[in-house]
């Protein structure tokens, strides 16, 4: 009997995950819940109910030998816990450990307890308290919603005007997702690196470094999004950086384990490389998106082996995931992130028999009606280019993105532009 793997999620990250698992050998059958209409040649099931116990029962009865959870929401809701109760092997942390992403104040307090470098911070309840901290720290400052906000809960404040705007948004209009509790953080500066590991709670295997591009427009202008592109590996990353980043992961795993909520799955540290070394901006309890679209490719045909060891708590020593140059460019709908225009016809994807030698498309917000693919979400697809260098990978990614036609759509033209010159 072949192995049955269930993947939970519907984005380009999950498309890349499914593709990686399908490369892991014959006899592996991958089903995605619910997936999206752009995932061709993949078995799909419907959406799972919100209730984790009910979902776990459905997955268990479907005969899944392994469940891999892509997005944060089901992790925070306790789907991994419910699966473990039923003895279904699962990749993803329980809801206790997933608080590392779900609550920024929980993450900050843990970092302080275990000595992980991070910006000074405070919970602030309103204008006057915020002003106290501003007097102490000066600008730039960063406002953060404590809860989940899909990348939209953070405001970096550098000017007087931005300060006023943030006070109104966070304390008067209160229209920030996840913003019932607000954190104020001292602003740091430096390049950012996504340091992501697969871990069984004790051992961990680092993926190659990546960088994502969060702002909507070229030159890092405009509002934050779920991610407009990524590159891997980050040029100039040193053995010392690797050592310091690994120590951050070790401390985080140790702290969570000691406090009774061990973490197993993909742990993501969003680092800022300051002049004093790496400082943690955030932890995520899952693979990044769009980082996953690059990083799952480096697993080659070993994705299933890695994930089975993670789920079983028996990660072998000796895993290494060597870097391979990749650049991903996200195609987004007109109006994204504020008011995406949906329902436009998407054209230019290769048909089944066209094979692409230097890249791949991973689909996200699309739906198919009468054989026609249309946009149905803000981020529509990620084009991933491969090459011998970041420069070559970048050129491949842009060749792919330029073949796609979607009225009004947008993509950044400067993903990996600076780094391709360095790496
Ligand atoms: P977060 O969701 O906490 O990672 O924040 C989103 C983005 O806001 C980060 O990728 C950074 O670009 C920026 N950011 C967050 N915290 C800080 C900080 N303390 N100093 C400067 N920029 C920050
Ligand atoms: N790429 C950032 C994230 O997945 O949160």
């Amino acid at each position: 009997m072949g192995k049955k793997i269930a993947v939970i999620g519907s984005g380009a990250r999950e498309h890349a995950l499914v593709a990686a698992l399908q490369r892991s050998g014959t006899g592996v059958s991958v089903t995605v819940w619910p997936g999206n209409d752009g995932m061709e040649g993949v078995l799909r099931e419907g959406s799972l109910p919100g209730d984790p116990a009910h979902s776990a029962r459905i997955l268990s009865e479907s005969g899944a030998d392994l469940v891999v959870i892509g997005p944060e929401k089901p992790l925070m809701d306790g789907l991994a816990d419910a699966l473990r109760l039923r003895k279904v092997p699962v990749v993803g942390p329980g809801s206790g450990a997933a608080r590392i992403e779900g609550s920024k104040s929980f993450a900050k307090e843990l970092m302080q307890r275990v000595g992980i470098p991070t910006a000074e911070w405070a919970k602030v309840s309103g204008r006057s308290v915020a002003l106290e901290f501003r007097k102490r720290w000066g600008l730039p400052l960063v406002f953060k919603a404590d809860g989940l906000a899909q990348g939209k809960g953070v405001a970096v404040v550098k000017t007087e005007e931005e300060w006023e705007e943030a006070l109104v948004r966070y304390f008067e209009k209160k229209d920030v997702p996840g913003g019932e509790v607000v954190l104020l953080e001292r602003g740091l500066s430096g390049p950012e690196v996504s340091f992501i590991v697969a871990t069984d709670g004790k051992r961990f295997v680092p993926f190659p470094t990546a960088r994502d591009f969060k702002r909507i427009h070229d030159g890092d202008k405009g509002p934050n999004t779920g991610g407009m592109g990524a590159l891997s590996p980050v040029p100039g990353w040193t053995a010392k950086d690797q050592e310091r980043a690994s120590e951050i992961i070790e401390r985080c795993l140790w702290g969570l384990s000691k406090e009774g909520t061990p973490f197993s799955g993909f742990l993501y540290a969003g680092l800022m490389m300051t002049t004093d070394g790496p400082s943690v901006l955030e932890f995520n309890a899952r693979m990044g998106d769009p980082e996953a679209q690059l990083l799952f490719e480096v697993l080659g045909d070993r994705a299933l082996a890695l994930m089975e060891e993670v789920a079983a708590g028996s990660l072998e020593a000796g895993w290494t995931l060597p870097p391979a140059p990749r650049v991903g460019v996200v195609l987004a709908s007109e109006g994204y992130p504020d008011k995406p225009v949906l329902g436009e016809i998407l054209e230019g994807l290769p048909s089944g028999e066209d094979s692409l030698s230097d890249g791949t498309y991973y689909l996200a917000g699309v739906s198919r009606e009468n054989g026609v693919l249309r946009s149905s979400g803000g981020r529509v697809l990620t084009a991933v280019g491969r090459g011998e260098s970041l420069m070559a990978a970048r050129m491949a990614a842009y060749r792919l993105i330029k073949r796609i036609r979607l009225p009004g759509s947008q993509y950044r033209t400067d993903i990996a532009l600076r780094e391709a010159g360095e790496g």
Side-chain angles (χ1 to χ4, degrees), residues 212 214 226 268 282 284 286-291:
D212 71 339
K214 292 195 172 74
Y268 172 134
E282 64 167 343
N284 292 322
R286 52 168 173 85
M287 249 293 168
D289 184 341
E291 289 92 333

Side-chain angles (χ1 to χ4, degrees), residues 1-17:
M1 263 295 278
K3 288 194 173 136
K4 290 184 77 171
I5 319 297
V7 166
I8 314 299
S10 63
R13 169 181 52 207
E14 287 73 28
H15 194 185
L17 173 56

